[in-house]
Amino acid sequence: MKKPSKKTLHLFRGIVKLAAPPPKLTVSEWADENRRLSPEASAEPGRWRTDRTPYMREIMDAVCEAGNEQIVMMTSAQVGKTELLLNITGYFVDYDPAPMILIQPTEGLAEAFSKDRLAPMIRDTPVLTGKIRDVKSRDSENTILHKKFPGGHITLGGANAPASLASRPIRIVLCDEVDRYPVSAGTEGDPVSLVEKRTTTFWNRKIVLVSTPTTKGASRIETAYNSSTMEQWCLPCPSCGEHQPLTWGQIKYENENDRVVSAMHACKSCGALHGEFEWKAGNGKWVARQSGKKVRGFHLNELASPWKRWTTIAEEFLKAERGGLELLKVWWNTSLGETWEEKGVGVEKDALVKRREFYRREVPDDVLVITAGVDVQDNRLEYEIVGWGLEYESWGIKYGVIMGDPGKAYVWRMLDMTVVDASFYRADGSKLNVMTTCVDSGGHFTSQVYRYCKKNEHKRVWAIKGKGGSGIPFIVRPKRRNAEGAWLFTIGVDAGKDTITSRLTVKKEGMPGFCHFPVNADRGYDEAYFEGLTAEHRVMRYTKGQTTFHWEKRFSGTRNEPFDLRNYATAALEILNPPLEELKKQLDERDATPKPVPSKKKKAGNVSKGVEI
C-alpha cells in the first residue's frame, strides 16, 4: 500500500480537527457569555461577570465535573447564592437540556421566585427568551411552576408540597434554603430525601444544596457540608502571602458612637493588619479541609462579598449585640454563614452535688407535705419521694428502684409498702404520709398502671401521661375516666421542666423554690442521680418554619429518669394543691400551745399495786 503524502496527511488532520466537538462549556463560561442581570433583581444590571465574584467560578463549574453528583453551599447572605442557582438553571436550559426541579421552602416562595427572579432572567437573557415561552402566551406547557423547553423542563415546587417533589423523574435538583424546609413534606418524610429519589435513573444527575445555616445540630446544610470536602475561600495575606479564610475573629475595628470608622483583618500567620480592599485584591482559592470526599462543599461569609463593607458588617454586629441573643443569632447565621450553637438552658450537676446536706431526722421540720413520682420501666419501677414547704421549697426524701417485672403483682405490692403507704416522721414527732403519687402510664405497662391507680385512687394515686411542646399547661385535669376506668392527668412536661430548672438555679437556702438534697448514703442521691437530674437542657429549634423550644438530652444515652421523676412529684403537688400556709399555721399553733406538765407526787411509804407514782 502506497504511503500517504504529507499533503494528504495534512488535509486529513484538518478534516478530523473540523469534525471534533468543541470543548465543553462550563457554567461560569456560559454565564459570562450569555447571562444578563435584570434591573429589578440586581443592583448591577447588565452582563454577568464572574470576575466580580471570583469565588463563584469554582462552585458553578463543580456542577460540570464528571463523577461529582452533589454540591453543597453553606453561605451567608449577600454573596450571590441566588445568582448561582439562576446561572445553573440557565446553563441546563440552553446548553445541556435536562429535566430539572428547583425547590423553595414553601410553594408560595416558589411562585415568588418564579415571578421575581426566574422570569426576569428568561426575559433579559436572549438565549433563553426563545426557548421558554412567556406565561401570558397561554401555552399549557408553561405555567408559573412548570416550564418546558426543547429537551427538558423545569418544575418549581415547595418543600411543604409532597406532590411537587415526587411527580416525575428529575436529573437536576436545585434546593434553595434547605434549613427552612419543614421536617416532613406532609406525611411523606424528609423533602430533600424525597426529591433525591426522583434522580435515581440518571447516571449524570446533579444535586445542589444551598442555604444560610440556622441552629447547630438541627441544620440540614451543616450536616451536608460536614460530610463534604469542606472547602473555604482563602485569600493571601498582603504581607506574608499565606492563604487563609476571612474570619470574624480576625477582624479589628474602631468604634465611635456606634459608628465603625475602620475595620481591618489580621493575618493569622504574621499578624499584619490590612484593610478590606487590600485583602480582596489578592488571588483567592478554595482550600479543602477534607480530602477524598465525593461531595464538594463550599462555605462563604459576607466578609468575602463585593457588595458588603466590613464596617457595615461590624455596625450590624454591634446593633445585634445590643438587641439580645435572637438578633445576634440572626447576624451570626446571615453574616457569617455559620450555625448558631445553642448552649441551652440547664443546670450543672457539680454545684448540686456539693450543696448536699446531712438530714439528722427522717424528714426536716420545715416539710409540710410529701408527694411522690413513679416511672415505669420494662424491668423496674423508679420513684422519688419529695417533701414540700412554703413557697415551693423542697427536700429530696428518697430516690429508689424496685426491681422486677411491672407485669407481676408483687412489684406493685412493693410500691405500696415503699411509697404509697409509707410513713415519715419529723423531729417534732409529726407523722407525714405520701399525700399524692403520680405514676407514668406512657410505657409498655399502661393497662397495669391504670388498674393500679384505679384501685388506689382513694390514696390519691393518679395515672399521668406526659405531653411535650411549648404552650401546653403543666396540669390538664381529666373531665371523665378513661376507657380503663382510671383518671388520667395530662402533664405538660416542658412546662414542668422549665419550673424545676428555674428552682434548681436558686442558690440561697430559704429562698422560694430552693431545692435541698441529702448526702445520707441510704437516700439514693448519689452522683448518678444528679447526672440524670441535669441530663437535659432547653434549646431553641426551628420547626415547620417556627422557632420553638425543646428539652433535649445533652448527650445521647444519658439516663434522665431523675429529671422525669422530679417532674412527676412536682405535678403531684400541683394536683393536690394543698394550703401550705394554713398547714404551717396549724403546726405553729400546735407547737406554741403549752403542754401539761405532769404533777410530781411524793412517794408514799406503802403504795398499793396499781397506783400511779
Side-chain angles (χ1 to χ4, degrees):
M1 184 176 178
K2 187 177 178 180
K3 186 178 180 179
S5 65
K6 291 183 178 180
K7 184 176 181 180
T8 302
L9 288 172
H10 179 75
L11 289 172
F12 178 75
R13 291 191 187 101
I15 293 170
V16 171
K17 185 176 181 181
L18 288 172
K24 186 174 181 180
L25 209 62
T26 65
V27 175
S28 66
E29 290 169 341
W30 178 89
D32 284 333
E33 184 177 332
N34 299 292
R35 176 77 195 281
R36 299 296 185 273
L37 297 172
S38 305
E40 65 265 53
S42 174
E44 301 176 359
R47 181 182 290 273
W48 166 271
R49 293 181 297 116
T50 303
D51 287 342
R52 183 77 168 111
T53 53
Y55 48 76
M56 280 293 180
R57 187 180 304 279
E58 195 159 346
I59 303 176
M60 289 190 289
D61 293 349
V63 177
C64 305
E65 293 176 356
N68 183 19
E69 292 186 347
Q70 188 168 357
I71 297 93
V72 175
M73 185 178 178
M74 184 169 75
T75 172
S76 66
Q78 301 295 325
V79 293
K81 59 185 176 63
T82 301
E83 301 303 335
L84 165 80
L85 295 174
L86 289 170
N87 286 340
I88 294 172
T89 300
Y91 175 85
F92 284 105
V93 170
D94 176 52
Y95 185 77
D96 187 10
M100 292 187 283
I101 189 167
L102 195 155
I103 304 297
Q104 293 288 337
T106 66
E107 203 162 41
L109 289 173
E111 290 186 9
F113 183 90
S114 178
K115 295 176 183 177
D116 300 339
R117 304 305 298 269
L118 183 59
M121 180 185 75
I122 295 170
R123 182 198 67 206
D124 296 329
T125 303
V127 295
L128 302 178
T129 305
K131 295 187 176 182
I132 299 180
R133 295 185 184 182
D134 191 275
V135 176
K136 296 179 181 178
S137 66
R138 297 185 180 181
D139 187 341
S140 61
E141 294 182 333
N142 185 4
T143 65
I144 292 175
L145 296 179
H146 185 69
K147 303 177 186 299
K148 292 198 70 174
F149 50 85
H153 56 80
I154 179 168
T155 299
L156 293 99
N160 62 338
S164 65
L165 306 182
S167 57
R168 53 180 64 86
I170 297 294
R171 179 187 154 202
I172 310 299
V173 174
L174 306 176
C175 296
D176 192 16
E177 294 298 348
V178 296
D179 269 19
R180 274 76 182 175
Y181 286 8
V183 175
S184 176
T187 59
E188 302 295 324
D190 175 55
V192 175
S193 300
L194 191 62
V195 73
E196 283 181 355
K197 291 179 181 178
R198 312 313 303 164
T199 67
T200 53
T201 58
F202 291 92
W203 63 270
N204 56 349
R205 67 177 183 171
K206 301 292 179 181
I207 300 166
V208 181
L209 306 181
V210 177
S211 187
T212 300
T214 51
T215 305
K216 190 175 186 64
S219 170
R220 278 192 179 93
I221 199 68
E222 182 189 48
T223 301
Y225 177 74
N226 288 344
S227 299
S228 73
T229 53
M230 294 185 70
E231 298 177 44
Q232 294 176 306
W233 179 246
C234 296
L235 292 169
C237 169
S239 289
C240 69
E242 181 175 342
H243 278 77
Q244 58 199 274
L246 300 175
T247 61
W248 178 245
Q250 300 298 108
I251 293 291
K252 314 297 179 184
Y253 59 88
E254 293 183 7
N255 175 30
E256 294 181 2
N257 299 321
D258 295 331
R259 181 176 177 270
V260 177
V261 295
S262 68
M264 307 183 82
H265 190 281
C267 174
K268 69 176 184 179
S269 180
C270 69
L273 286 168
H274 290 280
E276 175 179 358
F277 299 108
E278 291 179 284
W279 278 96
K280 291 180 178 178
N283 292 321
K285 63 180 180 179
W286 286 100
V287 177
R289 288 182 285 171
Q290 293 190 141
S291 58
K293 297 290 184 178
K294 294 182 179 180
V295 176
R296 290 200 67 181
F298 305 90
H299 176 256
L300 268 174
N301 61 41
E302 279 189 336
L303 296 173
S305 172
W307 302 292
K308 202 68 176 285
R309 300 281 73 83
W310 289 358
T311 52
T312 303
I313 296 172
E315 286 177 355
E316 291 176 349
F317 166 74
L318 292 173
K319 183 178 179 181
E321 192 177 40
R322 291 192 303 270
L325 286 179
E326 289 304 306
L327 289 180
L328 192 59
K329 177 181 184 296
V330 172
W331 179 87
W332 196 269
N333 294 154
T334 59
S335 291
L336 302 186
E338 296 179 8
T339 53
W340 176 266
E341 185 172 4
E342 290 287 351
K343 299 298 183 182
V345 177
V347 181
E348 299 301 325
K349 71 160 188 164
D350 292 343
L352 299 177
V353 171
K354 290 178 181 178
R355 81 180 193 199
R356 288 179 297 175
E357 56 199 84
F358 184 77
Y359 290 2
R360 295 187 179 277
R361 299 291 182 178
E362 198 171 20
V363 175
D365 282 350
D366 287 328
V367 172
L368 304 173
V369 171
I370 294 178
T371 65
V374 179
D375 187 36
V376 182
Q377 299 290 330
D378 288 344
N379 64 344
R380 67 191 185 278
L381 303 180
E382 293 199 25
Y383 65 88
E384 185 180 22
I385 300 169
V386 180
W388 301 92
L390 292 177
E391 297 182 304
Y392 296 101
E393 191 171 2
S394 65
W395 288 261
I397 305 300
K398 175 73 175 177
Y399 184 88
V401 178
I402 300 172
M403 295 303 299
D405 180 0
K408 305 297 184 182
Y410 78 90
V411 174
W412 298 99
R413 288 197 297 270
M414 287 291 293
L415 182 64
D416 285 337
M417 293 186 289
T418 309
V419 178
V420 176
D421 296 331
S423 298
F424 302 88
Y425 292 89
R426 304 194 327 173
D428 61 6
S430 299
K431 177 183 174 182
L432 298 177
N433 297 324
V434 175
M435 295 295 291
T436 306
T437 303
C438 283
V439 184
D440 180 32
S441 65
H444 294 154
F445 297 93
T446 302
S447 295
Q448 286 87 343
V449 171
Y450 289 158
R451 288 197 295 269
Y452 179 79
C453 292
K454 181 181 178 182
K455 176 184 175 183
N456 290 280
E457 63 181 37
H458 64 288
K459 301 176 184 177
R460 292 175 295 277
V461 178
W462 310 118
I464 60 171
K465 182 177 182 180
K467 186 175 182 180
S470 301
I472 300 172
F474 187 29
I475 304 296
V476 179
R477 298 177 183 272
K479 296 181 179 179
R480 59 183 67 87
R481 296 178 185 273
N482 65 9
E484 303 265 358
W487 295 102
L488 178 62
F489 289 78
T490 300
I491 306 300
V493 292
D494 285 10
K497 290 176 179 179
D498 288 344
T499 300
I500 293 167
T501 301
S502 177
R503 292 173 183 170
L504 289 172
T505 58
V506 178
K507 298 180 179 180
K508 188 175 180 180
E509 185 176 348
M511 294 294 291
F514 185 84
C515 301
H516 300 259
F517 299 99
V519 73
N520 309 53
D522 61 338
R523 300 297 183 105
Y525 291 89
D526 54 12
E527 290 204 21
Y529 167 85
F530 291 99
E531 287 178 359
L533 185 65
T534 59
E536 298 183 29
H537 62 170
R538 189 185 67 160
V539 296
M540 184 174 66
R541 293 281 181 256
Y542 282 98
T543 304
K544 297 182 179 180
Q546 301 294 320
T547 301
T548 58
F549 291 92
H550 299 279
W551 281 93
E552 299 178 356
K553 289 184 178 180
R554 298 173 189 262
F555 308 103
S556 61
T558 305
R559 291 182 58 231
N560 63 344
E561 287 90 346
F563 198 23
D564 287 337
L565 284 168
R566 180 54 66 108
N567 211 0
Y568 303 159
T570 304
L573 181 72
E574 294 296 326
I575 293 171
L576 179 63
N577 193 25
L580 293 174
E581 291 186 1
E582 183 62 29
L583 290 174
K584 176 66 173 174
K585 182 179 177 182
Q586 291 177 8
L587 287 171
D588 289 344
E589 290 176 350
R590 187 199 66 179
D591 293 340
T593 302
K595 296 179 181 178
V597 179
S599 59
K600 294 183 180 180
K601 297 182 179 179
K602 292 183 180 181
K603 187 175 182 180
N606 295 311
V607 180
S608 62
K609 191 175 181 180
V611 176
E612 182 179 359
I613 301 175

